[in-house]
Structure formats: C-alpha cells, structure tokens
Amino acid sequence: MYKVLLASVGHFFDSTAEIPSIFKRAGCIVDVFCSEESWLRSNRFHDNWIEAPDDEENFKYHLADYVRKNTDNYNWILLLDEFTLKLMNNFIGDDQLLIDRLLPIKKIENREVLSSKIGMSNACTRYNITTPRFINYTEDLSLDYIAQNLDFPILLKEDFSFSGLGIQYCATINEFQACLDKVLSKKNLVLQEFIVGEDIGVEALFYNGQLVSYNCSTILSYMTDKFSFTTRRIYYQDADLALQLKKLGESFGISGLGSIQYIYHKERNLFYLIETDLRSNSWMPYSKFMENDMSEGVKQIMSGKIIGEFPKTTPVNERLEIAIFDRDVRRCMKNKDLKGFLRWAFNYKGYWRFMPFYDTKLFKRIFTKLYKDFFKIA
C-alpha cells in the first residue's frame, strides 16, 4: 500500500486542513506529523497522527529524527506549508537522506527557490523563464540606480512572505522610500516590476520534474486587496499555460505540490511567473469538483505511469466557479457584502457543495472559528 507522510509545523495554517483527503481519495495510507491543535489533523481523512512539538526549534529535530528512523515506511513525504519548508531547508544542511526525502526538488542546485523570492528570480534568469524584471535590494543602492533599472510601478517584496504579507506596491520612485521605511529588516528584499495583466492562480502536482496534474484559475474575490489571499475563483484548463508549467517543473526539478502564480499580459501574449511556492494551498482539495482531479494525479504516481497529457483549453461555458466557504464568509462579514452572503444563502451556482458537511471533524472546527469571528466583529 502506498503510504505518505504529511508534515506541518504550528497550528495556524488552515490551508493544510483538507490536503489529506487528496491522498486518501487516491487510495493512500495517510499519516500526519503535526501538533495537537494543527489544522492538519482537523479532518477524518488521515489514518495516523504522529504528535509533534508546536515550536519550531523542537519540531525540526523531531521530524528529522522520525524520518531517519522511518524513511523506509513511506513512499512520499511532503512538507505542506511555507514555514515548515523554510525551517527544514535551513536545518538539514547537506544531509543527503533528508534532502532526498524532504525537499520538493530533485535538482539540488535549485534549492535556493525554496521559500525565497530572490532564489526564484535567480532561477528564472538561469532557465530563461519569463518573470518581471527585478533587483535584489541592498542598502547601498541609490534611488537613481533603481529608477534607471526598473520601470515603476514596482512591488517591494520581503524575501520570505506569504498570503500577500510582506508585499508593498510602490507607484513612483518617490513612494518607494516611504514603502522601504515600513520594512523592519532591509536584508533580502526584492524589487520587482509590477506587470499589469490577468492574475492566474495555479495548483499543480509534479513528480521528478514532470508535470502530473494542474488546474488554473482567474481571481474573483480577494480577502482585502489583490496581494491578500483569495476567496472565489473561476477554474479552467489552458494548453499554453500547461507548456509553461512543464518547462518550470523540468527546469527546477520540482517533485511535489506547487502553489504558483502567473500574470498574463494579453498584448505581449506572455505569462509572467510571479510566485513558485512548493507547498500546498487551500484550493488543491477542490480539484475533486473539476475534470482534472489532483487525486487522479496521485494515482498516476502510485502506478508509476504518468500520462503527461492534459485537456485542451477549457471552453468558456465549461469554466467552474469555486468559493472557499469559511474564507468567503469571513470576507463577506469583513466587507459587509450582502450580495456575497446571498450567494451562500441561495446556493448560487451550487455553492452549498463547497460547505464542509462532507467532513464532520473539519465542519466543527470551521464553524467554531466562524462563530468566534462573527461575535468578535459584531
């Protein structure tokens, strides 16, 4: 039986909650390595829970020790969130066993892409992957140098950030200094040109550099601004984007999950790679509602026969609108969006199927959180 271990540090990443269902639906035995309060164990789709410390310092030693002792018991081990990936990447050094078992890349020379925006930008340059022009900021750079090498507006990005945190929009060179003053640490900052175009979110599964499964989407709703996390999307397939993903997987040597973002510039007919986060996200389990179910990709990996073929570009009338229940309801509460509430009340486009009634354990935790949020806001 194919056996996987899913690991996550801390208890605050709700994006991991439904990831075990992807592997369970594929027929895997699913073990989770996390703390008692972790969202990763707030589901009924895992078989075994290995208790882990909830502080990072102890977590990394416990996970490394567990993997060394049980490496032959698992076909696949995945680190599910940005903090766990960064923590273990920094910790394991040149330990080849842990590199092979824990890191979601097979070309170790590309290790810098893990949890680093600078690393991703550098790798894109190496492999001729289209990405916005960028500068790795240092405090000795003058404003004149920045203005000469980048066209404004730009994004100021902290090297390690997630869900839109640590990203600032700077419309002009005059605004840049004010944005920079808000950053506590001036080390490892990326200045990236802001590309105007269509935001495209991608969830992908890779294995040994090969693209196994993917779904892409346009964004309908953000929690706050366009740098925050999303609550509603429209999903489809795009043959041209699939080619971009294949090149990305082969170039970086990706082997695992990918939460990826592109911006499509229509006039130039170019996909600009913006983010390559090699971890899970909250949208991945919703592939079960789509033609290209990520669980089917896991089955291909289990069988050793990866098809590597994907549907052609999805017709407009076959695109699927999906919303994450708790995220979108919290957005509606925060923004006093009555129309948004009515979508859920009247089962707009089948929204009720996205409510977590299919998992009583997850349902209880989500509604407890919403209840607390509601009365906090009220």
Side-chain angles (χ1 to χ4, degrees):
M1 181 68 75
Y2 202 91
K3 192 172 182 180
V4 298
L5 177 68
L6 308 177
S8 176
V9 69
H11 60 272
F12 43 86
F13 292 107
D14 60 356
S15 61
T16 64
E18 296 190 69
I19 299 302
S21 68
I22 296 172
F23 296 90
K24 179 52 65 176
R25 287 188 292 109
C28 301
I29 294 175
V30 182
D31 289 359
V32 296
F33 187 96
C34 58
S35 65
E36 183 174 7
E37 296 301 317
S38 173
W39 279 87
L40 180 54
R41 67 184 296 259
S42 296
N43 61 78
R44 61 182 180 85
F45 291 103
H46 64 276
D47 297 284
N48 302 292
W49 167 48
I50 296 92
E51 185 172 7
D54 59 5
D55 65 287
E56 294 185 0
E57 190 64 24
N58 285 316
F59 180 95
K60 63 187 181 184
Y61 287 105
H62 278 71
L63 178 57
D65 186 59
Y66 183 81
V67 171
R68 290 190 186 100
K69 292 178 179 177
N70 296 275
T71 187
D72 293 335
N73 293 335
Y74 294 102
N75 299 91
W76 209 359
I77 302 173
L78 293 100
L79 308 180
L80 295 188
D81 62 79
E82 201 79 1
F83 277 85
T84 306
L85 189 58
K86 181 178 177 65
L87 175 71
M88 298 310 297
N89 185 36
N90 291 339
F91 172 67
I92 62 181
D94 59 358
D95 187 316
Q96 196 60 49
L97 171 64
L98 297 181
I99 289 172
D100 292 341
R101 296 311 326 256
L102 293 179
L103 298 188
I105 56 170
K106 295 305 175 186
K107 292 183 177 180
I108 199 61
E109 63 270 23
N110 296 325
R111 188 172 176 174
E112 65 174 329
V113 308
L114 301 177
S115 303
S116 170
K117 291 175 172 56
I118 293 174
M120 190 208 78
S121 296
N122 290 337
C124 286
T125 300
R126 282 200 302 274
Y127 295 104
N128 196 29
I129 293 173
T130 303
T131 192
R133 286 195 297 171
F134 69 96
I135 292 175
N136 296 340
Y137 177 79
T138 60
E139 295 191 73
D140 60 347
L141 292 182
S142 68
L143 294 182
D144 286 341
Y145 177 86
I146 295 170
Q148 290 170 8
N149 286 272
L150 293 177
D151 293 328
F152 279 76
I154 67 168
L155 298 178
L156 188 159
K157 296 183 174 183
E158 296 179 37
D159 192 37
F160 178 68
S161 58
F162 63 99
S163 295
L165 300 175
I167 299 176
Q168 296 185 67
Y169 176 84
C170 310
T172 66
I173 188 65
N174 293 328
E175 287 186 12
F176 170 72
Q177 187 60 54
C179 292
L180 187 63
D181 291 341
K182 297 177 184 178
V183 179
L184 296 179
S185 174
K186 305 300 189 292
K187 294 181 179 179
N188 298 330
L189 298 180
V190 178
L191 309 184
Q192 184 183 78
E193 286 189 350
F194 180 75
I195 302 297
V196 177
E198 179 184 5
D199 290 343
I200 301 175
V202 178
E203 290 81 58
L205 175 67
F206 300 87
Y207 195 72
N208 291 337
Q210 187 170 355
L211 178 63
V212 181
S213 176
Y214 86 97
N215 286 290
C216 57
S217 61
T218 56
I219 313 303
L220 292 176
S221 298
Y222 296 89
M223 178 58 76
T224 52
D225 57 33
K226 71 174 298 175
F227 303 122
S228 62
F229 57 82
T230 59
T231 71
R232 296 167 58 234
R233 295 183 176 188
I234 292 182
Y235 276 88
Y236 60 95
Q237 293 281 304
D238 188 300
D240 292 333
L241 187 56
L243 294 176
Q244 301 292 325
L245 292 168
K246 285 184 176 182
K247 180 179 179 179
L248 178 66
E250 292 169 358
S251 298
F252 288 9
I254 304 173
S255 192
L257 302 170
S259 177
I260 301 165
Q261 183 183 356
Y262 287 89
I263 290 181
Y264 177 64
H265 194 291
K266 186 176 181 180
E267 288 74 20
R268 301 171 189 167
N269 191 28
L270 288 175
F271 292 94
Y272 287 86
L273 181 64
I274 304 297
E275 300 282 357
T276 306
D277 296 325
L278 303 185
R279 43 82 173 171
S280 65
N281 70 21
S282 296
W283 295 97
M284 290 176 177
Y286 290 81
S287 67
K288 66 184 177 183
F289 299 109
M290 308 172 203
E291 180 181 351
N292 200 7
D293 186 348
M294 193 169 283
S295 289
E296 294 301 315
V298 174
K299 288 180 182 178
Q300 291 181 37
I301 293 171
M302 293 166 63
S303 70
K305 299 177 181 178
I306 298 175
I307 299 173
E309 298 179 358
F310 306 96
K312 295 180 180 179
T313 302
T314 305
V316 173
N317 61 356
E318 293 183 10
R319 297 189 176 198
L320 177 64
E321 182 172 329
I322 291 180
I324 296 180
F325 172 69
D326 59 315
R327 281 188 178 186
D328 199 51
V329 169
R330 282 189 282 125
R331 181 193 62 79
C332 293
M333 289 192 293
K334 181 180 180 66
N335 300 323
K336 297 180 173 59
D337 180 5
L338 178 59
K339 186 176 179 180
F341 278 121
L342 292 177
R343 291 192 195 98
W344 291 103
F346 292 99
N347 193 27
Y348 173 77
K349 293 188 177 181
Y351 268 31
W352 287 357
R353 60 188 158 154
F354 308 136
M355 299 174 73
F357 294 120
Y358 46 80
D359 188 333
T360 53
K361 192 172 182 180
L362 179 62
F363 175 89
K364 181 178 179 180
R365 182 157 186 180
I366 283 177
F367 273 82
T368 298
K369 186 176 188 299
L370 285 175
Y371 179 82
K372 292 179 179 178
D373 288 346
F374 176 80
F375 282 102
K376 181 180 179 180
I377 292 173

